[in-house]
Amino acid sequence: ASDEAEANSLFDLCLALTLISTATVTTAVVGYLTAMTALNQPTQIGWLLLLLPVSILLGGVNVSWSNWCNRRKCYTAIARGAMLQSSTASTINLTAGFFHPSTLALILGALISQATNIWALGAGLRRSGSELKLVQRRLFSSTREQMYQVAHKFRNFPQFGIWSDLSNVASNQVPLLILAAAFSNTMVGYLLLAQRVVGLPLTFVGNAIGQVFYQRASELNTQTNELSRMQIKIYRMTLFIGLFPTILLMFY
């Protein structure tokens, strides 16, 4: 966004889309559970499906807050939030594993960790001394026309971003779903655990570099040559960081 008014309208638009998505999924889940109950065909996880809209709501707010921090270059807040989210989820999962292992505990751990990240981002903004307009003004103070304008102006972002995000999620989740059809849940759980442990350091490094790159790229979007040089430099650096441990793991 070119100015604060436009940034505020974008934030309101993101929150509005998050609420619409949450309401849509809630309606679909309630309708599905009602239909299954009427047909006397209980689902495998039952009422736990109702927590899906909660996850969508927290996820949307999380992304909005993260971009708001990124705009103000509050990278410390982003890093603390990510670390706190990861540690909170791990702590809850391990504690539940010792005392009362269940599907509900894993899901609640994920939801609580998302909420923790939102809190950490807000606290980091306040500590950094940034002017947090959202605290000083009423949410959704932007007019419908203003949100329509920014939606039209930045319409290319979801056209590219949605497909890249879907492909990233699919590359991680689809193999697990395929393997779950051929092997036991326990075996797939071990594989997921191994993926999370191995991928944790690369995730931290990748997210940290990605946030800074995204912020700098938005500033250099009209300087094609400079943007290309920065992109190639980051590709080389991340390749150098990840290549050696990846080769070791492949041979292992």
Side-chain angles (χ1 to χ4, degrees), residues 77-251:
I78 296 173
R80 285 176 178 171
M83 293 181 66
L84 190 59
Q85 179 176 356
S86 179
S87 59
T88 300
S90 300
T91 301
I92 294 175
N93 291 347
L94 288 172
T95 304
F98 278 114
F99 295 102
H100 185 65
S102 65
T103 303
L104 177 61
L106 292 174
I107 296 176
L108 289 179
L111 296 179
I112 294 173
S113 67
Q114 284 181 306
T116 303
N117 190 25
I118 295 173
W119 173 83
L121 291 173
L125 273 170
R126 287 189 291 272
R127 280 196 300 268
S128 70
S130 297
E131 285 295 322
L132 189 57
K133 304 290 186 181
L134 297 175
V135 173
Q136 303 170 2
R137 70 185 187 94
R138 181 174 57 85
L139 287 178
F140 297 115
S141 60
S142 304
T143 64
R144 186 178 300 178
E145 289 73 20
Q146 288 173 323
M147 287 193 282
Y148 277 142
Q149 287 175 1
V150 294
H152 182 266
K153 179 177 179 179
F154 297 102
R155 63 188 182 278
N156 284 338
F157 280 87
Q159 289 178 11
F160 291 98
I162 287 177
W163 300 113
S164 64
D165 288 343
L166 282 175
S167 62
N168 285 332
V169 172
S171 66
N172 289 324
Q173 302 299 327
V174 170
L176 295 173
L177 296 175
I178 294 175
L179 290 171
F183 300 95
S184 66
N185 290 339
T186 303
M187 296 298 294
V188 178
Y190 279 131
L191 175 61
L192 176 59
L193 178 60
Q195 284 184 341
R196 289 180 63 180
V197 172
V198 171
L200 190 60
L202 292 178
T203 300
F204 272 124
V205 173
N207 287 343
I209 295 175
Q211 291 284 356
V212 179
F213 171 75
Y214 190 76
Q215 193 277 333
R216 286 287 294 140
S218 65
E219 293 179 348
L220 299 174
N221 62 349
T222 58
Q223 304 176 37
T224 307
N225 292 334
E226 186 67 26
L227 181 59
S228 297
R229 281 194 292 269
M230 183 181 70
Q231 187 171 2
I232 293 173
K233 180 180 178 181
I234 290 178
Y235 277 147
R236 289 174 176 170
M237 181 177 65
T238 51
L239 178 64
F240 177 77
I241 292 173
L243 187 60
F244 183 67
T246 301
I247 291 175
L248 285 179
L249 285 171
M250 288 174 63
F251 277 103

Side-chain angles (χ1 to χ4, degrees), residues 11 60-72 74 78 117 121 125 211:
F11 193 95
V61 175
N62 232 325
V63 173
S64 301
W65 267 124
S66 181
N67 281 294
W68 190 266
C69 289
N70 202 23
R71 176 178 175 82
R72 284 159 174 73
C74 295
I78 296 173
N117 190 25
L121 291 173
L125 273 170
Q211 291 284 356

